[in-house]
């Protein structure tokens, strides 16, 4: 009878307290982990004791979150600098954000880049002159970036150059792959699954235009941009025709895909 009475009391207490929150404990852990990282961003390298004091957490809890952040590559331990005479014992470790950890926070780079391009356009007189000035900047930027890709592309066999370009783009954060087009006889598709400048490219498609032109120069053929993340597509997709693709299409009775370098009407937009 005692156990039944205690069960009833516990049930009554739960009903009085209201519904149990549906948010999983993982969300709470993630939120606290972000607070730890943010505190390091705001205050610089910090020890577990300093973080615990600032965040009103136990040192054990802070260390648990720090271990997870270290495993994720967000923070890294360093030996804390000691000014003056060092006391006995090992110095406490201070935890600092890595470059990856800093990138996880919004540092308004997109807004800065968009403001800079807007200033370039306005300084050139706006309108078509402004658009041309932004396009010139985009070409200059991509030309410098392409120098790092040229060696990789020219060092590959002709049939492996799209793959070599995809690897070079991946190293720069574009998560690129090369695959056969729906009809492999006609060509390949260069797919970029990530775009580091997508928010700026939404406003200034000249960035996409310049990139497409660079692909054409590097691969030695006209290319066609089929889709872009900036336009709302899931992947930036560029069609790379194979040499003699027109003849192959004639033999199979198919209409060859028209391939061109990007223009203001297509780059940064899905031509479909």
């Amino acid at each position: 009878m005692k156990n039944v009475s205690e069960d009833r009391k516990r049930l009554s207490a739960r009903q009085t307290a209201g519904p149990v929150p549906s948010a999983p404990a993982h969300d709470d852990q993630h939120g606290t982990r972000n607070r730890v990282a943010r505190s390091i961003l705001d205050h610089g390298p910090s020890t577990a004791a300093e973080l615990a004091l600032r965040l009103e957490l136990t040192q054990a809890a802070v260390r648990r979150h720090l271990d997870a952040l270290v495993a994720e590559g967000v923070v890294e331990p360093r030996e804390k600098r000691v000014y003056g005479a060092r006391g006995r014992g090992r110095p406490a470790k201070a935890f600092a954000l890595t470059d990856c950890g800093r990138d996880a926070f919004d540092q308004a780079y997109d807004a800065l880049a968009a403001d800079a391009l807007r200033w370039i356009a306005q300084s050139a007189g706006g309108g078509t002159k402004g658009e041309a000035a932004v396009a010139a900047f985009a070409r200059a930027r991509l030309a410098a970036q392409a120098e790092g890709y040229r060696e990789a592309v020219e060092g590959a066999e002709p049939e492996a150059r799209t793959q070599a370009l995809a690897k070079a783009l991946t190293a720069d954060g574009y998560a690129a792959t090369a695959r056969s087009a729906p009809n492999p006889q006609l060509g390949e598709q260069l797919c970029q699954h990530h775009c580091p400048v997508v928010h700026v490219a939404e406003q200034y498609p000249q960035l996409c235009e310049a990139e497409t032109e660079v692909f054409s120069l590097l691969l030695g053929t006209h290319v066609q941009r089929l889709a872009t993340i900036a336009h709302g597509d899931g992947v930036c997709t560029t069609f790379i025709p194979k040499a003699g693709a027109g003849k192959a299409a004639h033999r199979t009775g198919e209409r060859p895909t028209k391939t061109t370098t990007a223009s203001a009407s297509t780059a940064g937009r899905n031509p479909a």
Side-chain angles (χ1 to χ4, degrees):
M1 293 296 292
K2 181 179 179 181
N3 290 338
V4 172
S5 177
E6 290 178 351
D7 289 342
R8 286 177 177 173
K9 289 180 180 179
R10 284 196 292 269
L11 177 60
S12 177
R14 284 198 298 270
Q15 291 173 339
T16 303
V20 178
S22 58
H26 173 75
D27 291 346
D28 293 337
Q29 294 289 325
H30 185 70
T32 304
R33 201 163 297 161
N34 283 343
R35 289 176 57 212
V36 172
R38 182 75 205 193
S39 183
I40 296 173
L41 177 70
D42 292 339
H43 298 274
S46 307
T47 65
E50 291 168 342
L51 289 164
L53 184 63
R54 285 200 297 263
L55 300 174
E56 298 183 348
L57 298 170
T58 65
Q59 289 192 39
V62 168
R63 289 194 184 95
R64 188 166 61 249
H65 291 301
L66 287 171
D67 288 343
L69 290 169
V70 169
E72 293 171 1
V74 176
V75 304
E76 59 184 1
R78 299 178 182 176
E79 184 173 325
K80 185 175 176 63
R81 287 185 178 182
V82 177
Y83 298 94
R86 175 177 290 182
R88 294 183 178 181
R90 297 177 60 185
K93 285 184 179 180
F95 292 84
L97 286 179
T98 62
D99 290 340
C100 176
R102 289 185 179 278
D103 289 344
F105 290 94
D106 179 16
Q107 297 185 15
Y109 290 149
D110 288 342
L112 176 62
D115 288 345
L117 291 179
R118 189 176 301 110
W119 183 87
I120 290 173
Q122 292 173 349
S123 297
T128 56
K129 291 183 179 179
E131 292 179 2
V134 172
F137 165 81
R139 291 191 188 97
R141 173 183 175 273
L142 266 296
Q145 189 174 347
E147 288 305 312
Y149 304 152
R150 190 179 302 280
E151 183 177 350
V153 172
E154 293 181 350
E157 295 296 325
E159 64 275 9
R161 287 184 174 178
T162 303
Q163 182 66 45
L165 177 56
K167 289 183 178 179
L169 287 166
T170 295
D172 271 355
Y174 289 87
T177 58
R179 65 187 184 192
S180 296
N183 186 336
Q185 290 183 310
L186 296 181
E188 303 171 280
Q189 289 182 347
L190 177 66
C191 300
Q192 296 158 263
H193 302 273
H194 176 67
C195 176
V197 296
V198 59
H199 298 302
V200 183
E202 289 174 357
Q203 303 176 54
Y204 296 97
Q206 293 96 326
L207 297 176
C208 299
E209 296 167 22
E211 182 181 73
T212 308
E213 291 173 4
V214 164
F215 290 168
S216 177
L217 292 172
L218 289 173
L219 298 171
T221 183
H222 291 295
V223 301
Q224 183 184 28
R225 183 58 64 90
L226 302 177
T228 64
I229 298 173
H231 181 260
D233 302 296
V235 179
C236 293
T237 306
T238 306
F239 176 73
I240 317 294
K242 282 188 176 180
K247 294 180 180 179
H250 178 73
R251 287 195 300 269
T252 59
E254 293 188 17
R255 185 179 180 182
T257 302
K258 182 181 179 182
T259 56
T260 61
T261 51
S263 66
S265 61
T266 60
R269 302 170 175 83
N270 187 342

